[in-house]
Amino acid sequence: MGSMFRSEEVALVQLFLPTAAAYTCVSRLGELGLVEFRDLNASVSAFQRRFVVDVRRCEELEKTFTFLQEEVRRAGLVLPPPEGRLPAPPPRDLLRIQEETERLAQELRDVRGNQQALRAQLHQLQLHAAVLRQGHEPQLAAAHTDGASERTPLLQAPGGPHQDLRVNFVAGAVEPHKAPALERLLWRACRGFLIASFRELEQPLEHPVTGEPATWMTFLISYWGEQIGQKIRKITDCFHCHVFPFLQQEEARLGALQQLQQQSQELQEVLGETERFLSQVLGRVLQLLPPGQVQVHKMKAVYLALNQCSVSTTHKCLIAEAWCSVRDLPALQEALRDSSMEEGVSAVAHRIPCRDMPPTLIRTNRFTASFQGIVDAYGVGRYQEVNPAPYTIITFPFLFAVMFGDVGHGLLMFLFALAMVLAENRPAVKAAQNEIWQTFFRGRYLLLLMGLFSIYTGFIYNECFSRATSIFPSGWSVAAMANQSGWSDAFLAQHTMLTLDPNVTGVFLGPYPFGIDPIWSLAANHLSFLNSFKMKMSVILGVVHMAFGVVLGVFNHVHFGQRHRLLLETLPELTFLLGLFGYLVFLVIYKWLCVWAARAASAPSILIHFINMFLFSHSPSNRLLYPRQEVVQATLVVLALAMVPILLLGTPLHLLHRHRRRLRRRPAGRQEENKAGLLDLPDASVNGWSSDEEKAGGLDDEEEAELVPSEVLMHQAIHTIEFCLGCVSNTASYLRLWALSLAHAQLSEVLWAMVMRIGLGLGREVGVAAVVLVPIFAAFAVMTVAILLVMEGLSAFLHALRLHWVEFQNKFYSGTGYKLSPFTFAATDD
């Protein structure tokens, strides 16, 4: 957890890897995940690098693995996960893996091709047999003659003009959706000189490609004449019909049918043997594919990392540069020494100076990962600046709970998150592919704290599903008011609303021990009381939250050696913020503590006092809270306004004065040399350092880039305007805590009044009430989860997110860095 408050120290190391041991060393580093390699060959094309041939070979293997994986999925099998952590194989094993994979893929292609051919042949035999079994009776084609009628016989008498014509037949099968179009086209093209019979198969046949049952239409066409026969064959070919020979004699057709059935049985036996052999091949694929995919993926990653290295002039070693945590440098040295021991020459790693801003490394665990993700979504922190995540662990759930405070709703959210936490190690829970579930699961600890804090604020608000609970005795006594005010039956009949006067002795016994007194839920001014309380609470929380953000900036200034900013920025910012809005918080607390019920009628208005503070005026009707209040308010306003020019000009003038003083201290010759050298320095913004951040941790004093006063002044002016105006807008922005808390409470009240209260009043008898309340409670539960937990919870989450990103983090957090992305095989192993 030490690195949670500030990113770890990261160093740039140079690695000298012997050529013979480079692959082993990089593979070992990938298993440990310690370093992020820098590309030393950025100007070299990917096709001209040293290990491009090996990378291409791995890519070809990945294509073959993809084919095998598709075949396994096509067969309805599931790939088992690889057993254990598999290391990257040695380079000499790549050819062996490639040969085995290609041989297995070719064997699978051959078997799959034979299976498809056998299925297609079996399908043809089944179609042919179905055509013969359909019972189409051979019909003779009609000969159109002049004056033909319904009584004209279709067959001419022996010795007629058509005695030499021979009747021919075309039989086959076609898909059902093509049959009507085929029949119409045949009739029109042949002008009716044919007789066609179409029948649907009683039992569907298995499709040879998809394996799904398919319905077919068989047909039998009789015709006269060779030209008509050619037309029929061309049309059936266009419709992709399966055409089979058709014998006119019944005995010949029966014999052909028996022969087809025998051939089908033989093909089925051969097809069964082929499928059994295919299952054996797929079994070998299941054994080879999971470990092979992991190993080849690791091997490719190693070669891609080696392509980022440069070659020494002697071609005996590879030179690499990498970012590594200083904490992990001993482990890096040990890993390189162990990996290169067999070659007789040890790999070397040493730190080198660098002007570039190092990457940010913050180690997280399953608890802190979701909170760090909230911060990183705004922007990855600069190297070693204060990390807001540890404070977000508390402030984010708390601000959410202020808007979502309800014991019942918080308990439901807490139990949901607790269930995910308890089941987090189950493989089925981790392997769920639903995106919404994955989002909830990754933020389970965040939801856990949000629910827990919501229970706490629910007790503060004394709300459980919008109902107040009497945990402790109320601090108000109705009996004392009734006894001393002389309320009679006639008075109670005329006055439906009764007032409890805390000035009457015995009416107000003291504050409620914890939270809001439950008697306020019965009061007519309940909403007015909560509005006043929650609005002031929101302002107090907002000012404290922003002031805490300004204070955290102190640690940044001290760490980066910018102590002048403590006096020229932090102190003016705190004076401006606390002198105006901190004083508003003081007025609220002072009025709570010093104005009692006896003086409530003449209590001063804080809002009018705050407005008069800026106008330097006084309202005679609004009495002062304390003596010499006007003098104090005028002093605070003048002091806050005086901080603006200090905040605007202090830092630029200090930097300009220090820069000129350094230039005067340097010798003339050295000064000219440095001016010439400054032209070769990279731009500060390119390196990731702000121009006014004095290159903290980056350049030495003699290497500091030339200061541009206009840029520094412009940057400081933007910062000053943003902070001064932001104090006003950000304080008003925290009023969303009041607004959303009120909206959540009112929605809960409406849902209870419109659903549960009506349901409870429908039936007085036990049986009727039980029957009525089941659907009523079900509707109440569904709407509670859908509206109050999901919709209201998402709304409160987004508003809490905005308060942290805009109102809190911009006081000290720049978020202009980039993460350390170590070279690791962790994702491949998972």
Side-chain angles (χ1 to χ4, degrees), residues 194-212:
L194 56 82
I195 297 177
S197 173
F198 287 83
R199 293 185 182 179
E200 185 176 354
L201 288 181
E202 297 178 356
Q203 294 181 353
L205 299 179
E206 182 180 355
H207 196 278
V209 178
T210 62
E212 298 178 355

Side-chain angles (χ1 to χ4, degrees), residues 481-495:
M481 188 69 188
N483 294 332
Q484 299 190 27
S485 299
W487 289 346
S488 61
D489 294 339
F491 180 84
L492 295 177
Q494 294 176 0
H495 298 80

Side-chain angles (χ1 to χ4, degrees), residues 620-650:
S621 60
N622 193 41
R623 68 181 186 85
L624 300 178
L625 280 170
Y626 58 90
R628 304 187 64 81
Q629 179 180 350
E630 294 179 350
V631 177
V632 174
Q633 291 181 168
T635 304
L636 290 177
V637 173
V638 172
L639 187 62
L641 294 178
M643 295 298 104
V644 177
I646 297 176
L647 190 61
L648 176 63
L649 302 175

Side-chain angles (χ1 to χ4, degrees), residues 459-463 467-476 512-523 526:
F459 279 115
I460 294 291
Y461 298 155
N462 202 348
E463 291 183 0
R467 301 291 90 194
T469 56
S470 299
I471 302 177
F472 304 102
S474 174
W476 295 79
Y512 196 66
F514 186 81
I516 295 177
D517 198 307
I519 199 173
W520 281 105
S521 62
L522 305 176
H526 171 64

Side-chain angles (χ1 to χ4, degrees), residues 44 65 106 128 199 239 265 421 581 612 659 714:
V44 181
F65 286 148
Q106 186 60 41
H128 193 182
R199 293 185 182 179
F239 279 83
Q265 292 178 357
V421 170
F581 301 99
N612 291 336
H659 181 70
M714 181 63 67

Side-chain angles (χ1 to χ4, degrees), residues 246 427 593-594 822:
F246 188 82
L593 297 177
C594 298

Side-chain angles (χ1 to χ4, degrees), residues 407-442:
V407 175
H409 301 156
L411 182 62
L412 292 178
M413 183 178 294
F414 175 79
L415 293 178
F416 174 66
L418 183 63
M420 289 191 292
V421 170
L422 296 178
E424 63 182 3
N425 293 324
R426 296 183 181 179
V429 176
K430 294 181 178 180
Q433 298 298 322
N434 187 278
E435 293 185 4
I436 298 179
W437 168 258
Q438 289 181 350
T439 302
F440 283 120
F441 184 73
R442 285 193 293 266

Side-chain angles (χ1 to χ4, degrees), residues 382-396:
R382 282 191 305 116
Y383 177 62
Q384 288 206 329
E385 75 172 334
V386 172
N387 181 26
Y391 318 104
T392 304
I393 294 176
I394 300 299
T395 59
F396 188 91

